[in-house]
């Protein structure tokens, strides 16, 4: 059940704040302080909803759902615009996978660039590229500085379609409770999304509009609906969200192509889910059309399917939404970090990583130590705290994981 926490009771009656409804008690003081600042924004609709995987982010809390009227905060969407998940169930059982999963991992790693890498040539079809290119040119014609922020601008965004990226992005092969095989991946809008996000975040800071009052933090700077910057940002962010969707779809195609020679012939895909968890869109809530920003949260409308991954070595879930109004029909996007990457590297060593990822074919070197399972919240507790938001359809355990 949600824990309703009114962070600013003293200013509530003066109309200077909104309630914050949190679906966990596992939340630190720094994150609460950040939510306190967010609650003071004068354009928040009804309240702020906080998911059970919440933790401190840049400007806005990761795991927060912010419904706004007549304004949008670019930093709340962030720089990995449209980051999200894609999962496909295959017509294969666990026993049909190769005995040595390292051959499968190597095959995928050869085909899917990770980190800052990109494909040597453009893989996406013209039917995908042409509409994206046309719309992007409309954006960069108005904001030519965007092209100077990304090396080999056009070649890069086109060649990065179908690539993973780094950080917490991953590709996994998982098994569900019936030993069905799933392919799951986590990625976003790559370099072009970062450029768009960074550019408009800085533009919002410089404009520092205060129609609804001065933002309590520069990273909460906003655009006001009706302004040219608002319109341009919405055009750009919608483009980046679509790009991220196509990136995941193209990557899934490449992954399946890499797997086919090593698996029984004619395996088919049975179902697919492709969902964002860093994005903004217009929705109807509490009788009004508002802009809903989900920063590290996914949509969980009634009967809508979603994906909630755990960390390396932990369970993941295919879920179905319950349409909970107080969460703005949302749920968590994963387990959520318990500690920073720097702290994880200080507290744990390579042997800890080996032990915590036992039974999973994956990298076990110091380069991914910041992604060790202990750096994340316990996924079972996170799931227990959102039973009123979603129902579990499938429980997945990974047997192979590729990190950027």
């Amino acid at each position: 059940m949600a824990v309703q926490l009114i962070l600013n009771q003293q200013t509530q009656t003066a109309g200077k704040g909104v309630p914050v409804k949190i679906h966990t008690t596992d939340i630190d003081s720094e994150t609460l302080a950040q939510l306190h600042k967010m609650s003071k924004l004068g354009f928040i609709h009804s309240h702020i909803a906080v998911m059970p995987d919440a933790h401190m982010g840049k400007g806005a809390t990761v795991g927060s759902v912010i419904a706004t009227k007549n304004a949008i905060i670019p930093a709340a969407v962030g720089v990995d615009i449209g980051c999200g998940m894609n999962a496909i169930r295959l017509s294969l059982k666990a026993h049909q996978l190769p005995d040595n999963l390292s051959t499968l991992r190597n095959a995928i790693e050869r085909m899917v660039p990770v980190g800052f890498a990109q494909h040597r040539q453009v893989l996406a079809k013209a039917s995908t590229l042409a509409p994206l290119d046309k719309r992007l040119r409309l954006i960069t014609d108005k904001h030519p500085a965007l092209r100077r922020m990304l090396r080999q601008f056009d070649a890069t965004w086109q060649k990065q379609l179908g690539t993973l990226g780094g950080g917490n992005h991953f590709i996994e092969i998982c098994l569900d409770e019936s030993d069905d095989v799933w392919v799951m991946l986590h990625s976003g809008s790559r370099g072009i999304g970062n450029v768009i996000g960074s550019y408009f975040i800085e533009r919002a800071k410089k404009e520092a509009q205060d129609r609804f009052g001065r933002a309590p933090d520069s990273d909460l700077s906003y655009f006001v609906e009706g302004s040219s910057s608002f319109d341009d940002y919405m055009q750009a962010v919608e483009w980046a969200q679509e790009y991220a969707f196509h990136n995941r779809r193209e990557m899934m195609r490449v992954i399946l192509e890499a797997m086919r020679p090593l698996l029984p012939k004619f395996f088919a895909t049975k179902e697919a889910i492709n969902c964002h968890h860093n994005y903004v869109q217009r929705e109807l809530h509490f009788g009004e059309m508002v802009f809903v920003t989900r920063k590290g949260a996914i949509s969980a409308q009634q009967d809508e399917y979603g994906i909630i991954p755990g960390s390396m070595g932990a369970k993941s879930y295919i879920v179905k939404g319950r349409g909970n109004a107080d969460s703005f029909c949302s749920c968590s996007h994963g387990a959520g970090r318990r500690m920073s990457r720097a702290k994880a590297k200080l507290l744990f060593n390579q042997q800890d990583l080996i032990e915590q990822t036992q039974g999973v074919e994956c990298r076990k070197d110091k380069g991914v130590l910041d992604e060790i399972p202990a750096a994340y919240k316990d996924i079972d507790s996170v799931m227990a705290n959102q039973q009123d938001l979603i129902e579990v359809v499938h429980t997945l355990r990974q047997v192979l994981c590729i990190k950027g």
Side-chain angles (χ1 to χ4, degrees):
M1 287 295 276
V3 177
Q4 182 164 341
L5 178 62
I6 310 298
L7 287 174
N8 47 345
Q9 288 176 326
Q10 293 180 344
T11 59
Q12 180 75 17
T13 55
K16 295 183 180 179
V18 297
V20 177
K21 299 184 179 182
I22 305 177
H23 289 258
T24 182
T25 55
D26 182 13
I27 191 162
D28 60 75
S29 59
E30 290 184 331
T31 304
L32 288 175
Q34 186 173 62
L35 289 166
H36 185 115
K37 287 183 180 179
M38 292 165 58
S39 73
K40 292 181 179 180
L41 293 166
F43 47 83
I44 303 293
H45 175 58
S46 179
H47 62 276
I48 295 172
V50 183
M51 302 299 101
D53 60 340
H55 58 91
M56 191 172 179
K58 186 173 176 59
T61 299
V62 178
S64 61
V65 184
I66 312 161
T68 59
K69 295 186 292 185
N70 308 118
I72 284 180
I73 311 162
V77 179
V79 296
D80 197 359
I81 302 168
C83 182
M85 301 289 303
N86 192 356
I88 287 182
R89 182 166 58 157
L90 307 181
S91 59
L92 294 175
K93 292 290 186 180
H95 72 270
Q96 294 175 290
L97 291 174
D99 292 333
N100 184 358
L101 289 176
S102 65
T103 58
L104 201 54
R105 178 161 76 94
N106 292 337
I108 296 171
E109 288 177 337
R110 283 194 298 270
M111 296 268 301
V112 180
V114 303
F116 294 105
Q118 59 193 40
H119 292 291
R120 293 181 180 178
Q121 57 188 7
V122 179
L123 298 186
K125 294 180 180 179
S127 58
T128 296
L129 285 175
L132 285 172
D133 183 59
K134 182 178 180 180
R135 288 168 52 208
L136 181 59
R137 289 184 185 279
L138 294 175
I139 296 165
T140 58
D141 283 350
K142 287 187 284 186
H143 299 277
L146 287 168
R147 290 188 169 271
R148 298 192 292 271
M149 294 173 66
L150 187 64
R151 188 170 175 268
Q152 298 181 321
F153 186 87
D154 288 314
T156 297
W157 76 257
Q158 293 179 26
K159 290 180 181 179
Q160 283 189 340
L161 268 172
T163 64
L164 185 64
N168 62 353
H169 294 163
F170 63 79
I171 299 166
E172 290 185 347
I173 295 177
C174 306
L175 306 177
D176 68 15
E177 62 283 334
S178 300
D179 269 354
D180 285 337
V181 177
W182 291 71
V183 180
M184 184 167 69
L185 61 87
H186 172 208
S187 191
S189 50
R190 305 295 284 111
I192 182 64
N194 187 292
V195 163
I196 289 171
S198 299
Y199 174 82
F200 281 100
I201 288 169
E202 290 306 309
R203 190 178 183 90
K205 289 179 182 179
K206 288 176 182 177
E207 292 189 6
Q209 300 181 69
D210 58 1
R211 174 177 160 187
F212 299 102
R214 184 69 61 177
D217 184 321
S218 64
D219 283 319
L220 293 174
S221 298
Y222 55 88
F223 294 133
V224 175
E225 187 174 13
S227 67
S228 59
S229 291
F230 181 99
D231 294 340
D232 292 351
Y233 177 66
M234 283 302 296
Q235 183 182 18
V237 81
E238 287 170 357
W239 184 92
Q241 288 167 188
E242 184 176 344
Y243 178 89
F245 182 91
H246 285 298
N247 178 46
R248 291 190 293 272
R249 189 171 66 178
E250 181 65 21
M251 190 174 3
M252 184 64 77
R253 184 190 67 77
V254 173
I255 292 167
L256 296 178
E257 183 181 328
M259 292 172 62
R260 283 187 189 281
L262 300 172
L263 295 171
K265 291 183 179 180
F266 309 118
F267 78 80
T269 58
K270 298 173 70 173
E271 59 185 290
I273 306 163
N274 196 340
C275 58
H276 298 318
H277 54 228
N278 284 349
Y279 70 111
V280 60
Q281 67 181 17
R282 284 180 64 90
E283 296 179 7
L284 177 66
H285 291 280
F286 300 102
E288 293 190 56
M289 289 300 299
V290 292
F291 297 97
V292 176
T293 299
R294 293 186 174 92
K295 185 179 181 67
I298 65 172
S299 178
Q301 300 281 349
Q302 184 69 48
D303 295 329
E304 181 179 15
Y305 281 85
I307 306 162
I308 302 177
S311 59
M312 291 172 69
K315 291 177 286 190
S316 297
Y317 297 88
I318 306 298
V319 300
K320 192 161 61 172
R322 296 190 187 275
N324 183 290
D326 277 347
S327 72
F328 297 107
C329 299
S330 308
C331 67
S332 82
H333 80 311
R337 292 196 73 91
R338 182 175 295 283
M339 64 184 70
S340 69
R341 296 183 181 278
K343 187 174 181 180
K345 290 178 180 180
L346 285 174
L347 289 182
F348 301 104
N349 57 38
Q350 188 175 359
Q351 186 57 39
D352 294 323
L353 179 63
I354 291 170
E355 291 174 0
Q356 292 182 32
T357 58
Q358 190 172 4
V360 180
E361 172 59 42
C362 63
R363 286 177 59 187
K364 300 178 189 284
D365 57 81
K366 293 180 180 179
V368 292
L369 192 57
D370 54 352
E371 284 293 302
I372 191 169
Y376 284 82
K377 294 183 179 182
D378 176 59
I379 188 64
D380 290 330
S381 297
V382 169
M383 296 303 292
N385 283 324
Q386 56 185 335
Q387 293 179 36
D388 54 342
L389 308 184
I390 47 92
E391 66 173 285
V392 174
V393 180
H394 295 291
T395 301
L396 310 181
R397 60 181 178 88
Q398 68 267 68
V399 294
L400 183 155
C401 179
I402 294 170
K403 284 281 185 182

